[in-house]
């Protein structure tokens, strides 16, 4: 096990009715805030009314900025920075999914910085300060409600880049599984895929002696898989959503990667895909991850065999061969994505083969990616090609 330093300070307020208390939680930090949200799902569901009523009751004034789109854009972030500066706002409440929360985090970074906020995403500048951010999460998926990262897209350059700093971990996040009842089934599946991917990025590590986090990853994966099938049958199954929402948070609050070497190549490969094709992140991951697994599993066949056994119940002894068992685990993963109606090949989402070099160049523009197996430009091209077959 590697040395580690774990600090995940986000207060998680979980369960039915918790959104009604949001004003009181915000008031501890600020009396004037930016309320940031997306394309209108919170108005349709009635959540907007509940949040604004609670803020008003607590005496919190708010400016609003809506219009965050999936794969959130830096243009809206710049607008948010301007509003906060003009109105003297120092706290942002994001109500929505990963895109809204990431947009809020980026605004939080941009306000106290003299240059352009995009500098933090290209690596031109290192964040030193940020406004405080909190979230009311409406879709379990990205894990941004307690993660240290924000992922933002620049339409002009077709780049989708992340910035990681503990400064932007939300101070609190409200998670009510009832919010998930209004999720369209495809969004539920994208979210499920993303959270499994966050665990894969941590689980597939060559660091030995990580028994506890191996087990935590495997338990979280099994919980997500079991309950995904339940919510797709009945999207008002509170208990199943509660398991998924909790697991999605744990998948990306950092704990499951402690003592391990995290990989993150598949996320970089997916981000280039959603930068060029503007697809949902979870949709892209269902295509990229099986291809990545097929390309890299020989690095550590025993771990892939353990994954097949402990997550999918494949018996190494029955197969009498570790490699066969490892391959079976990859096949079961792909079958699972298919069973929740996700595409698993690039052709299914009309990605053009001639765009592979462009995407692979974006992925490796800052050098090779990944740690389980380091991937250069040619390796990434090979993975995109595998994702076609
Ligand atoms: O905009 P609205 O109208 O709210 O609709 C959203 C959006 O269209 C809708 N939605 C959300 N909650 C809903 C709902 N519809 C009905 N009922 C509800 N309760 O769902 C759509 C997708 O929302 P989005 O926020 O884009 O989804 P998600 O949470 O999957 O976020 C994806 C973004 O997060 C980034 C991804 O790259 C992508 O840009 N990620 C962020 C990470 C982080 N900050 O730590 C890590 C992840 O790996 C990921 O890269
Ligand atoms: Zn992700």
């Amino acid at each position: 096990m590697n040395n580690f330093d774990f600090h995940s300070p986000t207060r998680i307020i979980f369960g039915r009715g918790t959104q009604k208390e949001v004003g009181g939680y915000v008031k501890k930090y600020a009396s004037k805030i930016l309320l940031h949200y997306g394309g209108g799902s919170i108005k349709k569901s009635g959540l907007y009314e509940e949040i604004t009523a609670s803020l008003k009751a607590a005496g919190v004034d708010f400016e609003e900025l809506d219009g965050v789109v999936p794969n959130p854009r830096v243009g809206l972030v710049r607008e948010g920075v301007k509003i906060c500066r003009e109105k003297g706002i120092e706290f942002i409440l994001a109500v929505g999914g990963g895109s809204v929360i990431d947009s809020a985090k980026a605004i939080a970074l941009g306000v106290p910085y003299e240059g352009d906020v995009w500098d933090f995403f290209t690596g031109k500048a290192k964040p030193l300060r940020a406004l405080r951010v909190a979230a009311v999460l409406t879709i379990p998926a990205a894990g941004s409600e307690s993660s240290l990262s924000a992922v933002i897209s620049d339409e002009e350059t077709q780049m989708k880049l992340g910035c990681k700093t503990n400064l932007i971990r939300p101070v609190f996040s409200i998670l009510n599984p009832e919010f998930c009842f209004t999720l369209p089934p495809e969004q539920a599946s994208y979210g499920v895929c993303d959270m499994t991917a966050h665990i894969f990025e941590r689980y597939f590590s060559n660091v030995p002696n990580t028994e506890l986090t191996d087990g935590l990853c495997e338990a979280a994966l099994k919980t997500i898989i079991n309950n995904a099938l339940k919510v797709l049958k009945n999207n008002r199954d509170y208990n199943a959503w509660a398991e998924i929402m909790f697991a999605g948070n744990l998948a990306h609050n950092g704990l499951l990667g402690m003592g391990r070497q995290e990989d993150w190549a598949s996320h970089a490969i997916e981000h280039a895909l959603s930068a060029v094709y503007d697809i949902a992140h979870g949709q892209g991951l269902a295509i990229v991850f099986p291809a990545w697994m097929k390309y890299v599993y020989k690095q550590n066949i025993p771990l892939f065999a353990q994954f097949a056994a402990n997550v999918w119940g494949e018996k190494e002894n029955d197969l009498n061969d570790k490699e066969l068992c490892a391959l079976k685990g990859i096949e079961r993963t792909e079958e699972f994505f298919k069973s929740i109606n996700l595409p698993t090949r690039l052709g299914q989402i009309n990605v053009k083969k001639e765009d592979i070099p462009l995407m692979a160049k974006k992925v490796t523009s800052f050098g090779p990616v990944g740690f389980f197996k380091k991937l250069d430009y040619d390796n990434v091209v090979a993975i995109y090609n595998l994702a076609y077959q």
Side-chain angles (χ1 to χ4, degrees):
M1 195 188 298
N2 289 343
N3 289 2
F4 66 85
D5 180 343
F6 179 63
H7 183 58
S8 183
T10 304
R11 178 176 182 181
I12 300 294
I13 302 145
F14 191 98
R16 291 185 172 100
T18 43
Q19 72 278 9
K20 295 186 180 131
E21 309 300 322
V22 67
Y25 293 114
V26 169
K27 187 73 183 181
K28 290 185 186 135
Y29 298 97
S31 298
K32 189 170 183 191
I33 67 164
L34 181 71
L35 176 63
H36 199 32
Y37 53 97
S41 76
I42 66 163
K43 288 203 168 156
K44 251 192 239 161
S45 67
L47 181 58
Y48 173 85
E49 287 301 325
E50 289 183 305
I51 298 290
T52 50
S54 177
L55 291 173
K56 283 176 194 160
V60 176
D61 286 340
F62 52 90
E63 292 291 326
E64 295 186 37
L65 180 61
D66 66 349
V68 180
V69 292
N71 300 319
R73 311 295 200 263
V74 69
L76 192 73
V77 170
R78 292 185 182 118
E79 211 176 300
V81 168
K82 198 162 159 257
I83 295 173
C84 289
R85 283 185 186 154
E86 281 172 6
K87 308 279 178 182
I89 287 171
E90 295 194 342
F91 188 99
I92 307 167
L93 179 66
V95 185
S99 296
V100 175
I101 303 171
D102 285 2
S103 183
K105 288 173 170 180
I107 295 170
L109 286 170
V111 174
Y113 176 60
E114 281 180 6
D116 179 29
V117 65
W118 189 242
D119 292 350
F120 296 124
F121 294 84
T122 57
K124 193 175 152 195
K126 271 212 161 353
L128 299 173
R129 281 185 305 139
L131 305 190
R132 284 193 171 113
V133 174
V136 178
L137 180 70
T138 61
I139 169 172
S144 186
E145 71 275 11
S146 51
S147 80
L148 79 174
S149 50
V151 187
I152 300 293
S153 296
D154 179 9
E155 272 168 312
E156 269 174 37
T157 55
Q158 285 194 326
M159 290 299 277
K160 180 174 177 181
L161 298 172
C163 171
K164 288 187 182 178
T165 162
N166 276 314
L167 294 169
I168 54 175
R169 288 195 195 256
V171 289
F172 70 79
S173 286
I174 291 180
L175 279 62
N176 177 350
E178 288 172 328
F179 300 157
C180 307
F181 295 172
T182 56
L183 276 175
E186 69 280 7
Q187 291 295 344
S189 295
Y190 301 155
V192 160
C193 181
D194 193 17
M195 58 182 78
T196 61
H198 295 159
I199 302 173
F200 295 154
E201 298 282 16
R202 296 176 163 96
Y203 183 77
F204 293 106
S205 148
N206 294 310
V207 175
N209 305 315
T210 52
E211 190 180 321
L212 176 64
T213 44
D214 282 5
L216 291 174
C217 288
E218 289 158 1
L221 283 168
K222 281 196 290 190
T223 303
I224 295 164
I225 293 161
N226 289 340
N227 288 285
L229 301 172
K230 291 186 192 169
V231 298
L232 287 179
K233 268 200 205 115
N234 171 14
N235 75 347
R236 299 185 70 84
D237 185 337
Y238 178 89
N239 292 319
W241 275 122
E243 298 290 349
I244 290 180
M245 215 169 197
F246 191 7
N249 180 253
L250 195 60
H252 202 38
N253 76 353
L255 177 68
L256 301 188
M258 291 305 106
R260 315 175 76 90
Q261 184 169 44
E262 301 184 8
D263 188 72
W264 298 102
S266 302
H267 265 70
I269 296 172
E270 192 300 306
H271 285 161
L273 193 56
S274 45
V276 176
Y277 282 93
D278 199 17
I279 57 161
H281 174 59
Q283 190 179 30
L285 287 168
I287 297 168
V288 169
F289 243 109
W292 175 85
M293 287 179 173
K294 289 172 202 165
Y295 193 73
V296 305
Y297 77 93
K298 287 193 175 151
Q299 286 305 109
N300 193 338
I301 290 177
L303 181 61
F304 268 92
Q306 177 187 319
F307 166 66
N310 293 352
V311 175
W312 296 110
E314 294 294 338
K315 299 267 187 307
E316 205 186 296
N317 287 347
D318 293 353
L319 293 162
N320 210 11
D321 184 324
K322 265 200 191 327
E323 183 162 1
L324 266 184
C325 187
L327 287 169
K328 199 82 188 139
I330 299 172
E331 192 186 314
R332 293 284 302 274
T333 305
E334 195 169 321
E335 287 307 318
F336 169 66
F337 290 153
K338 284 185 199 160
S339 76
I340 58 169
N341 306 315
L342 292 171
T344 54
R345 293 293 181 278
L346 289 174
Q348 287 172 272
I349 55 162
N350 301 320
V351 169
K352 291 195 218 103
K353 244 189 162 165
E354 54 268 32
D355 281 338
I356 288 181
L358 166 81
M359 293 190 296
K361 223 169 161 189
K362 286 182 191 293
V363 175
T364 52
S365 57
F366 300 105
V369 290
F371 291 95
F372 186 72
K373 180 178 168 72
K374 243 189 192 349
L375 305 172
D376 62 14
Y377 171 85
D378 290 338
N379 301 137
V380 173
V381 167
I383 290 174
Y384 279 128
N385 279 321
L386 259 182
Y388 248 103
Q389 286 158 23

